[in-house]
Every structure is written in C-alpha cells, then in structure tokens.
Amino acid sequence: MTYVVHRNGRAATAEELGPLAFAGYAHFTAMQVRGGQVRGLDLHLERLRSASVELFGRALPDERVRACLRAALQAGPADVSLTATAYSPAGEFTSAGAEVEPELLIRTGPAASGPRGPLALAAVEHERFLPAVKHVGEGAKTYFLRQAVRQGFDDAAFVDRRGRLSEGSIWNLAFWDGAAVVWPEAEMLGGITMAIVRRQLDRLGVPQRAQQVTVSDLPALAGAVVMNSWTPGVAVHRIGSVSLPEAPAFVQLLHRAYQAEPLTAP
C-alpha cells in the first residue's frame, strides 16, 4: 500500500510541509474513497469552495481541486481515506486576503469504516468557533473527547448555551422518534455524510425534520446515532445520564440511504 501527501497536485517535500506543521488557519474536508470514487463529491467541492471564501476571500476553481484529487488517488490504492486541506501560503497572523491564492494539501491513508458501537456520549457544554466551517486547530474536540473517556464514556456530545444538543467531537448527531429522522437544530457543522443521508432520505420518502433537542427531550426519542465521513450511522445508547434504545432498524435505514448515493470519480 502506498499513501501520499500531495501539495497542489504533486508530492509534498519536507521543506514545504515544515511551516504547515505549526499552522492552524486552514479548513478541510474528509472523505472515504472506494474504487477511486467518492460519494457526495459535489458537496465536498462546495464545502471547500465556501469555506475558502469565508477564510481567505477566494477559492480554488473546482476543476483544479478535482485535478489534485485525481493525482493523489492515482498514486495510491483504490480504497483510501482522504483529507483535502485548503490553506493560505501567507500563513497565520497576517492581514493577507483575496490577493493570495489558497493552496491545497491532500493526504491519503487506510480506508476506515468507524467504530462498531453502541457508544456512550458525555454531554459537554461547548460551542465551536465558526461552527459552519470545518477548520483545523480545534484542540477543544480532542480535550473533551479525552475528558469523556476518563469519565467512562466513548466520546462527547456538545450542548450549547441554550441547552441544545448540536454535534459530537467529530460527529453529527441524528435521532429517531419511531417514524421520522430528527436532526438537531443548533449552530453546528453540516456534515457531508449528513447532507448525503438527508437528500437520499428525501428520495426514499422517509419523513425527517429539524428541531431543537435537549438532554431532557431524549427519553421521548426511540434512538440516536453519530455519523461522519467514516460511517452514516453508529448507534448511541447513552447521552449523559440518559439511556437510549439502540434502534437497529434506524441504523440500517441510514446506511441504506447512504448506499443509495452514487459514487463519482473526481
């Protein structure tokens, strides 16, 4: 197996990577590649585009991003985990804006499918900076994950200042009321897997809605999962002190919706 680290479509050198090892002003998207193809490629491209405009004032053309993705995938195995990170070569703590074109760093590694579950999540009060952007340098995620594990949980779920559940450390949350999928309504990162599942559930005619969900609302729900680029659903059996049914049919439904999304080559 050969995995790569590419900068702007070619193998990155140690000299090029050195400054990035100490940088924290960047954003990324993560995906699972199977047979050289990706689910939700359009969503990944839109994420990179919109976040680059937000952070840097400009974005790379989609076709250049796709060319970089192709170069990385052609250099390794057909099934990989891939992370594409956009950053400004001007670096941090500068006033550089749209006059500096962003660059793209791509890393591939072993394909992943997520934990088996079910998981227990600690309920932690936390709100991410720029929650709609998948940016780097978020030490709080790892800190709260490790604190949760020390307390006997598997990971953490975040609760905002209004008491609303929003997301997990590296996960989106989804709930089941026995008939419909319930998406928590709060400031959060809209995950690519979440967006894929939502549009495929629409096509399958499965009811779904967004609503505010608090820890006190959990006993009335019939199941919960976490999802990210690894997996469209891992059962959650506890959030804080509240136990939840594992709801295998709910988990299977989310996996079926995800599998309905076509694979696309960059």
Side-chain angles (χ1 to χ4, degrees), residues 30-121:
M31 63 191 78
Q32 291 299 313
V33 181
R34 298 294 182 267
Q37 298 182 307
V38 180
R39 288 184 169 86
L41 178 63
D42 61 319
L43 300 171
H44 287 289
L45 293 172
E46 168 57 27
R47 167 185 273 175
L48 290 173
R49 190 186 320 118
S50 62
S52 285
V53 171
E54 175 70 22
L55 293 186
F56 314 129
R58 65 186 291 185
L60 293 170
D62 285 358
E63 189 45 53
R64 193 182 309 176
V65 174
R66 295 180 72 159
C68 291
L69 293 173
R70 288 194 297 270
L73 294 179
Q74 288 165 5
D79 295 351
V80 296
S81 298
L82 184 147
T83 302
T85 301
Y87 66 97
S88 171
E92 292 184 287
F93 313 118
T94 71
S95 60
E99 73 278 6
V100 179
E101 185 174 62
E103 297 189 356
L104 194 65
L105 192 69
I106 294 180
R107 180 184 66 185
T108 61
S113 58
R116 291 180 59 87
L119 306 179
L121 308 180

Side-chain angles (χ1 to χ4, degrees), residues 16-258:
E16 292 168 335
L17 292 175
L20 301 179
F22 302 94
Y25 193 71
H27 68 88
F28 68 102
T29 194
M31 63 191 78
Q32 291 299 313
V33 181
R34 298 294 182 267
Q37 298 182 307
V38 180
R39 288 184 169 86
L41 178 63
D42 61 319
L43 300 171
H44 287 289
L45 293 172
E46 168 57 27
R47 167 185 273 175
L48 290 173
R49 190 186 320 118
S50 62
S52 285
V53 171
E54 175 70 22
L55 293 186
F56 314 129
R58 65 186 291 185
L60 293 170
D62 285 358
E63 189 45 53
R64 193 182 309 176
V65 174
R66 295 180 72 159
C68 291
L69 293 173
R70 288 194 297 270
L73 294 179
Q74 288 165 5
D79 295 351
V80 296
S81 298
L82 184 147
T83 302
T85 301
Y87 66 97
S88 171
E92 292 184 287
F93 313 118
T94 71
S95 60
E99 73 278 6
V100 179
E101 185 174 62
E103 297 189 356
L104 194 65
L105 192 69
I106 294 180
R107 180 184 66 185
T108 61
S113 58
R116 291 180 59 87
L119 306 179
L121 308 180
V124 176
E125 186 174 336
H126 176 61
E127 297 180 21
R128 295 174 54 248
F129 169 70
L130 283 180
V133 176
K134 192 175 180 71
H135 49 82
V136 306
E138 292 196 272
K141 289 183 174 182
T142 302
Y143 176 81
F144 288 126
L145 161 64
R146 293 182 178 182
Q147 290 294 310
V149 170
R150 290 189 185 102
Q151 296 167 19
F153 294 90
D154 300 298
D155 209 323
F158 298 148
V159 180
D160 69 13
R161 70 192 72 183
R162 296 168 57 184
R164 302 178 300 179
L165 285 157
S166 57
E167 56 192 330
S169 62
I170 56 170
W171 311 92
N172 281 119
L173 297 167
F175 302 96
W176 180 242
D177 70 0
V181 179
V182 179
W183 303 99
E185 191 174 79
E187 294 296 319
M188 71 180 82
L189 177 70
I192 301 300
T193 298
M194 183 177 83
I196 289 171
V197 169
R198 291 185 77 158
R199 71 183 179 188
Q200 290 301 331
L201 288 174
D202 277 339
R203 292 169 184 167
L204 292 170
V206 176
Q208 51 183 326
R209 68 180 185 277
Q211 71 176 55
Q212 297 183 16
V213 178
T214 68
V215 172
S216 62
D217 295 323
L218 295 176
L221 294 169
V225 302
V226 291
M227 62 178 65
N228 63 9
S229 62
W230 293 336
T231 172
V234 177
V236 172
H237 73 91
R238 182 160 60 100
I239 299 179
S241 61
V242 181
S243 296
L244 290 150
E246 291 185 27
F250 174 42
V251 177
Q252 292 167 12
L253 171 64
L254 298 176
H255 280 261
R256 181 160 62 94
Y258 181 76

